[in-house]
Amino acid sequence: MPEKSGEKNAGIPLIETKLYMPRWRSGLISRPRLIQRMNQGMNGKLTLVAAPAGFGKSTLLAEWIADLNAPENTVAWVSLDSNDNDAVFFWTYFIKALQKIQPDIGESALLLLQAPQPAAIETILTSLINEVNTGKEEYIIVLDDFHLIEASEIHQGVVFLLDHLPAQMHLVLASRVDPLLPLSRLRAKGELLELRSGDLRFTTDEVNDFFRQSMGLTLAEDGIAALATRTEGWIAGLQLAGLSLQGREDVAGFIDTFSGDDRYILDYLVEEVLLRQSDDVRQFLLQTAILDRLSAPLCDAVTAGENSKALLETLERENLFIISLDDKRQWYRYHHLFADMLRTRLEMEFPDLPGKLHLRASDWYEGQNESAAAIHHATTAGDFQRVAGLVELAAPRMFSTAHSSTLYGWLRKIPDEIILKRPVLSIWAAWSAMDTRDLSAGEQWLLNAEKYLSANDTENMVVTDEKQFRTLPALIATARAFYAQASNDAAATIRYAREALEILPEEEYVWRGGATALLGLASWSRGDLQAAYESFAGGLGLIEGAGIPHYKISGTHVLADICIGQGRLRDAIGLYQQSMKLAENWKGAVIRGTADLCLGLAELYNEQNAQEKARDWLARGQAFGMDAALTENQYRWLVLQAQMAEDENRLDDASALLAEADDLFVPDAVPCVRPVAALQAQLWIKTGRIADAERWAAQQGIAVNDEVTFLREFEHITLAKLYIARYAEERDDRQLDAVIALLDRLLQASEAKERTGSSIEIMIQQALAYQVGGDASLSLVPLERALTLAAPEGYVRTFRKEGVKMRDLLRQAAAAGISGEYTRRLLAAFDAGPSPTRSTTDISANALADPLTNREIEILRLIAAGMRNQEIADQLFISLYTVKRHIANAYGKMAVSTRTEAVARANELKLL
């Protein structure tokens, strides 16, 4: 939780130089056979130009765009490099490119990208796609050098974009290799145009046109044919040959001197080209080859010269493999293949020089506040002490502007022995480890940082950012608080969070907000819900005051859950509704956590027996998709569906859904007050699987004589249900006495902290315990208290899920005049119940020996609709593994082995 950065696009290097189509000084060669194919490809979604280096991919695309009968402002170009494997960088460039066509497009998506807690890329792209769909503009987007993108997250985003590509958008990729995209699917649907090396090779006529128009050379037919044959139409070789031929008298003799493969020709011709340059130009080419992009000031810094501007203009004028990247001709790049060969030659001739040149580049970029480029060059130079210093300076900004993954990537490249001497970097390494749930590694980095606070001898300590070092005690304390809360140590969380707040300056809103929120979570873990609510709400307020409103949406479920524990269902609904309005008005974009607001409302309306509202909000949440849901809440979607299945007496389905939910649950710093395993045990008790419930109790190590604690409260309520069920069968009075004593202790603890929600559940179990013991009049005492507390908030499901025994008690209460209208309303809910849906398993019961479950049938229907496994997982809010498991089970039951066979068999069974 770092300080807020005011810099826009922090960490995004030289955006404008990446968004211009490369400009060639000389005229482009007309290649009508390829232009025609590319024009035809506009009917599909994707054009892929894939070939090794030197085949003229970028040149062809520029020629096609120049020839395209389309307004100039319909084409956007992004030049990619290896530093663009950060999804935030990549999609920022993509949106900025679109804004070259339509300046207002994608502003909401950019805000989401730059948020401290960014939404999922799919959510951001959905916002962008919707904007494009509502406009009339046409977009052709060229992504050049796409082979340099290796991040799977980016590939997945491009796949999502292609799957939902607006009709007025066409994507063009230039790559040396096939990208990790569903090319076969696009090919089968006629949505892909492919141009490969065989297509790009120059024909004899095109070779002749190239030499005449581009190089100013008129060669004999046999010379043209020989060059076309020797280079196999490879344009890089042809261009180098043309440069070498200029000014020669013995053209035929030169053509006869080389033959062989591409690498041989390239080595030979680069040598020829370099030998024909002056010493100044040759030295400039070699020294600046380390740069991905060139400008006069940068080249002056790297070469320690002063005439780079004139040299760059000369190179462009002579068409020496240099490409302009902007209209002002301030930024350039070398042809990639030419740059590769120059770098190889630099390493061979001056092996000690590249590192020095990279460090000069790093110094220059640091002076321009371009930390990513500065770190890249320092890393390439192998100067990890410098890298460590640069990362230390950049860390707060990168962390607060949603580039934490890039920051962690930098940290992983720095040797541990360097970080160990840097207390500030050690803190960031600790956050990196804890973010990936590696608490053990996080603890070690915290210990390392702490030793510098108490050590008298700091001779070996290295600090670059003195400001961060001065706040080191507070940063350590906040990290310690998070670590303690994730380890279920509430006392330590409170101690460290208070320590941080004592020493943090008042203006450090985000850090103070984080520490305050952690105090709230710790109070919740202890069962002090009012203190938890006040602290967590205060923490969110501080963070929101720092200009980060997203946390109000993503943190709503914590405040709502605390309200539910206090028995304040209506206040919880109000919180969700308030945040839902904020989310809906958030510049048309979908913020991560929005789907969870819908889920929360569905849970609460389901409790109040407002079934239509509950299903409507559940559907609305599912429509947003898994990418608009918080990762830590994904299991709750399945829990709600399990509860709905239980209410419809689909108990096997309910149990299967809870098992899936348990697989998805991942512990974090937010207290888990209703464990999924305990919910499953309650369902087992309801269905008479007492032995399974007893095994659960043994695995959890709980007993009726335990000391009661809040974090185990729900498990102890579940244990009480188990003992009541046992007593109904065994009639052991000692068991009944023990469970009544346990419930008394639980109630005393919940009432002491005003946990009304817990008290209602506990008193219901007390009433059922007295009922099963045969004391009907005594059972009405806790029931009346429960009804009195529950009536204002509209509780229904908490009573109805207890089944016929609770219905009998409520009838007795009604006869006794207890909570008259509310009791009658509960009885009406029992009599009517939710409208049960017909179990689809009944349909196939006679057709299959082992009937399909509802979930298996649901997945079969989605398969029949043409959805892929991952799409099914996203639609149903379950893991990919779970989808595959259901498919395997269904295939086995139906004796099929392929999707086609499965759909056909399901049709026979009338399941679709």
Side-chain angles (χ1 to χ4, degrees):
M1 286 160 278
E3 60 185 332
K4 177 178 176 284
S5 169
E7 295 185 34
K8 189 175 183 181
N9 296 329
I12 308 292
L14 301 170
I15 284 181
E16 294 305 315
T17 69
K18 302 178 70 66
L19 305 185
Y20 282 89
M21 184 179 73
R23 317 285 181 177
W24 279 264
R25 195 76 174 184
S26 59
L28 297 172
I29 303 306
S30 177
R31 307 188 74 186
R33 64 185 178 88
L34 298 180
I35 298 299
Q36 183 179 4
R37 288 185 61 188
M38 294 191 71
N39 288 339
Q40 293 170 348
M42 286 291 291
N43 295 323
K45 291 183 175 182
L46 175 66
T47 293
L48 173 64
V49 184
F55 270 88
K57 299 182 289 295
S58 301
T59 309
L60 173 65
L61 292 177
E63 178 193 353
W64 170 62
I65 291 169
D67 186 77
L68 197 61
N69 290 324
E72 185 177 349
N73 64 344
T74 61
V75 181
W77 186 295
V78 183
S79 297
L80 299 167
D81 60 46
S82 58
N83 293 319
D84 299 334
N85 278 284
D86 181 299
V88 176
F89 284 6
F90 179 91
W91 292 110
T92 297
Y93 299 145
F94 188 90
I95 296 169
K96 288 288 186 180
L98 295 183
Q99 290 179 344
K100 293 286 184 181
I101 300 171
Q102 172 52 257
D104 297 331
I105 198 77
E107 285 298 327
S108 299
L110 280 176
L111 284 172
L112 290 176
L113 271 172
Q114 295 159 12
Q117 188 181 25
I121 292 301
E122 289 80 0
T123 302
I124 295 168
L125 289 177
T126 298
S127 168
L128 182 65
I129 290 164
N130 289 339
E131 280 195 72
V132 173
N133 278 327
T134 58
K136 297 180 180 179
E137 293 79 14
E138 294 184 358
Y139 300 85
I140 300 170
I141 313 299
V142 179
L143 300 178
D144 197 11
D145 293 324
F146 192 77
H147 58 274
L148 297 172
I149 300 302
E150 299 174 348
S152 59
E153 182 183 6
I154 296 176
H155 290 146
Q156 291 165 9
V158 175
V159 171
F160 181 88
L161 176 65
L162 286 168
D163 285 344
H164 304 86
L165 198 72
Q168 62 267 49
M169 183 178 284
H170 185 79
L171 196 61
V172 182
L173 302 185
S175 175
R176 294 185 186 179
V177 297
D178 277 2
L180 297 176
L181 303 176
L183 299 181
S184 57
R185 176 156 53 89
L186 292 167
R187 193 180 295 123
K189 292 182 177 180
E191 296 174 339
L192 170 66
L193 169 71
E194 298 169 271
L195 293 177
R196 300 188 175 277
S197 55
D199 304 300
L200 298 179
R201 295 184 190 279
F202 273 50
T203 65
T204 302
D205 289 340
E206 289 170 339
V207 171
N208 187 38
D209 290 342
F210 169 73
F211 280 119
R212 283 191 299 101
Q213 297 177 27
S214 230
M215 307 302 296
L217 294 169
T218 301
L219 304 179
E221 286 187 15
D222 59 346
I224 292 292
L227 285 171
T229 301
R230 301 277 174 82
T231 61
E232 295 184 345
W234 183 45
I235 185 57
L238 290 167
Q239 188 171 359
L240 284 166
L243 289 169
S244 298
L245 284 168
Q246 288 177 339
R248 286 184 181 271
E249 295 182 2
D250 185 12
V251 172
F254 173 80
I255 293 174
D256 289 337
T257 57
F258 71 92
S259 62
D261 60 22
D262 291 348
R263 178 57 56 180
Y264 172 83
I265 294 172
L266 188 63
D267 287 341
Y268 178 81
L269 294 179
V270 166
E271 177 68 21
E272 284 289 317
V273 170
L274 288 178
L275 286 175
R276 295 170 67 84
Q277 308 304 317
S278 67
D279 289 343
D280 286 348
V281 170
R282 186 176 185 278
Q283 181 176 336
F284 182 85
L285 288 169
L286 291 174
Q287 291 184 356
T288 56
I290 65 148
L291 300 171
D292 294 324
R293 289 175 178 78
L294 306 95
S295 71
L298 173 57
C299 291
D300 280 344
V302 169
T303 63
E306 297 179 351
N307 64 336
S308 296
K309 185 175 187 299
L311 286 169
L312 287 170
E313 291 172 352
T314 298
L315 294 178
E316 185 186 17
R317 186 169 55 253
E318 295 182 0
N319 201 24
L320 199 59
F321 289 92
I322 193 168
I323 302 164
S324 173
L325 295 176
D326 60 24
D327 290 332
K328 297 178 181 179
R329 285 185 154 69
Q330 293 178 344
W331 286 91
Y332 301 83
R333 73 167 171 86
Y334 291 126
H335 187 291
H336 297 311
L337 195 60
F338 189 60
D340 289 343
M341 294 305 302
L342 290 175
R343 289 168 190 156
T344 300
R345 191 159 297 275
L346 176 66
E347 291 278 0
M348 291 172 55
E349 294 187 17
F350 307 100
D352 297 330
L353 189 55
K356 296 175 183 177
L357 299 174
H358 279 293
L359 288 178
R360 291 176 188 173
S362 179
D363 286 337
W364 187 86
Y365 276 117
E366 182 186 10
Q368 305 300 310
N369 294 318
E370 293 287 349
S371 11
I375 290 167
H376 163 69
H377 282 286
T379 302
T380 307
D383 188 344
F384 288 102
Q385 289 290 358
R386 174 170 175 74
V387 172
L390 291 169
V391 172
E392 185 170 312
L393 291 168
R397 184 178 73 251
M398 297 296 289
F399 203 72
S400 64
T401 53
H403 296 95
S404 55
S405 60
T406 299
L407 171 61
Y408 298 157
W410 290 339
L411 286 166
R412 284 191 293 271
K413 292 178 182 178
I414 302 172
D416 285 355
E417 57 266 25
I418 291 178
I419 300 179
L420 286 169
K421 294 180 180 180
R422 290 178 169 269
V424 175
L425 267 195
S426 294
I427 285 294
W428 291 112
W431 279 112
S432 173
M434 290 189 292
D435 188 62
T436 57
R437 301 293 189 270
D438 189 350
L439 297 184
S440 176
E443 165 72 5
Q444 294 306 309
W445 286 119
L446 285 175
L447 288 171
N448 185 67
E450 286 170 334
K451 77 179 183 181
Y452 290 104
L453 295 180
S454 57
N456 295 323
D457 181 12
T458 57
E459 181 179 350
N460 294 322
M461 181 178 72
V462 181
V463 173
T464 302
D465 190 336
E466 290 290 343
K467 180 184 176 183
Q468 286 192 75
F469 182 68
R470 288 193 296 272
T471 61
L472 190 64
L475 303 186
I476 291 174
T478 308
R480 278 279 178 207
F482 181 89
Y483 178 89
Q485 182 59 26
S487 304
N488 291 322
D489 188 345
T493 303
I494 292 171
R495 182 171 72 254
Y496 287 119
R498 286 175 176 169
E499 178 184 333
L501 289 170
E502 285 175 4
I503 54 182
L504 278 167
E506 290 295 327
E507 64 273 13
E508 292 283 359
Y509 295 113
V510 177
W511 284 106
R512 292 185 67 85
T516 304
L518 284 166
L519 278 177
L521 295 179
S523 296
W524 190 9
S525 297
R526 287 184 158 187
D528 190 349
L529 302 194
Q530 186 57 36
Y533 188 93
E534 292 172 359
S535 291
F536 196 84
L540 290 182
L542 284 169
I543 297 172
E544 185 178 8
I548 311 174
H550 302 77
Y551 282 105
K552 183 171 184 179
I553 291 173
S554 61
T556 299
H557 76 280
V558 171
L559 292 177
D561 281 350
I562 293 172
C563 282
I564 292 168
Q566 294 175 306
R568 297 161 48 203
L569 302 190
R570 300 191 190 281
D571 285 346
I573 290 173
L575 283 171
Y576 281 127
Q577 290 174 334
Q578 182 183 15
S579 291
M580 196 69 207
K581 287 180 181 177
L582 175 63
E584 289 173 341
N585 294 329
W586 188 254
K587 300 179 178 62
V590 179
I591 299 174
R592 175 166 281 185
T594 302
D596 301 281
L597 304 179
C598 301
L599 170 66
L601 286 168
E603 291 172 333
L604 287 159
Y605 286 132
N606 190 55
E607 170 60 44
Q608 293 180 331
N609 201 37
Q611 296 297 318
E612 188 172 338
K613 281 186 176 181
R615 294 190 180 281
D616 178 59
W617 279 106
L618 179 62
R620 287 178 66 177
Q622 290 173 327
F624 281 118
M626 183 73 84
D627 299 306
L630 297 168
T631 303
E632 60 266 29
N633 280 345
Q634 290 176 3
Y635 79 99
R636 290 176 62 159
W637 295 84
L638 294 167
V639 169
L640 176 58
Q641 292 175 64
Q643 291 173 348
M644 290 178 167
E646 179 185 354
D647 294 341
E648 296 170 358
N649 293 318
R650 295 186 289 110
L651 302 182
D652 287 344
D653 287 344
S655 183
L657 286 162
L658 287 175
E660 293 176 23
D662 206 20
D663 288 342
L664 279 181
F665 175 72
V666 177
D668 62 7
V670 177
C672 178
V673 297
R674 300 177 78 86
V676 178
L679 291 168
Q680 184 73 274
Q682 289 192 8
L683 189 61
W684 287 336
I685 294 166
K686 184 173 185 176
T687 56
R689 295 170 59 180
I690 302 301
D692 288 333
E694 288 175 338
R695 276 191 292 274
W696 162 81
Q699 289 168 356
Q700 302 306 313
I702 56 173
V704 288
N705 57 353
D706 287 342
E707 178 184 355
V708 296
T709 62
F710 173 65
L711 286 181
R712 306 215 75 176
E713 180 182 75
F714 188 72
E715 291 175 311
H716 279 119
I717 291 173
T718 304
L719 184 67
K721 293 170 72 77
L722 174 59
Y723 268 64
I724 292 169
R726 271 183 183 168
Y727 180 79
E729 293 182 359
E730 300 172 7
R731 295 292 166 177
D732 184 340
D733 289 340
R734 290 173 301 176
Q735 288 189 357
L736 188 60
D737 292 341
V739 75
I740 289 174
L742 171 62
L743 290 167
D744 286 343
R745 297 199 307 280
L746 288 170
L747 184 60
Q748 184 179 1
S750 68
E751 289 183 329
K753 293 295 183 180
E754 298 181 337
R755 297 195 298 268
T756 302
S758 298
S759 297
I760 291 170
E761 290 188 88
I762 294 165
M763 287 187 283
I764 286 174
Q765 297 310 312
Q766 285 181 321
L768 292 169
Y770 288 127
Q771 179 197 46
V772 77
D775 196 335
S777 59
L778 189 56
S779 67
L780 292 181
V781 176
L783 179 61
E784 182 175 8
R785 292 186 62 201
L787 290 169
T788 301
L789 294 172
E793 301 297 327
Y795 282 87
V796 174
R797 187 178 188 276
T798 296
F799 292 89
R800 192 183 60 215
K801 70 179 181 179
E802 300 299 336
V804 294
K805 294 185 186 306
M806 177 53 64
R807 183 194 61 190
D808 294 342
L809 277 176
L810 288 171
R811 285 175 177 171
Q812 293 175 36
I818 296 172
S819 299
E821 182 182 348
Y822 179 54
T823 303
R824 287 192 293 274
R825 187 147 46 92
L826 288 176
L827 283 170
F830 269 95
D831 293 338
S835 303
T837 58
R838 185 183 178 198
S839 174
T840 342
T841 55
D842 295 341
I843 300 173
S844 59
N846 296 325
L848 295 173
D850 186 4
L852 298 172
T853 66
N854 273 30
R855 179 63 95 186
E856 289 165 355
I857 294 170
E858 187 175 19
I859 288 174
L860 281 173
R861 287 172 176 166
L862 295 177
I863 288 174
M867 294 181 70
R868 295 174 298 158
N869 290 356
Q870 186 60 61
E871 292 172 331
I872 294 171
D874 293 342
Q875 175 77 17
L876 300 180
F877 290 84
I878 58 179
S879 68
L880 179 60
Y881 168 78
T882 301
V883 170
K884 291 179 178 178
R885 188 182 68 199
H886 281 308
I887 291 173
N889 290 341
Y891 282 14
K893 293 175 181 180
M894 295 191 297
V896 298
S897 57
T898 68
R899 282 182 164 230
T900 303
E901 292 174 354
V903 171
R905 181 70 172 129
N907 273 316
E908 291 174 6
L909 296 168
K910 295 182 169 46
L911 298 179
L912 305 181

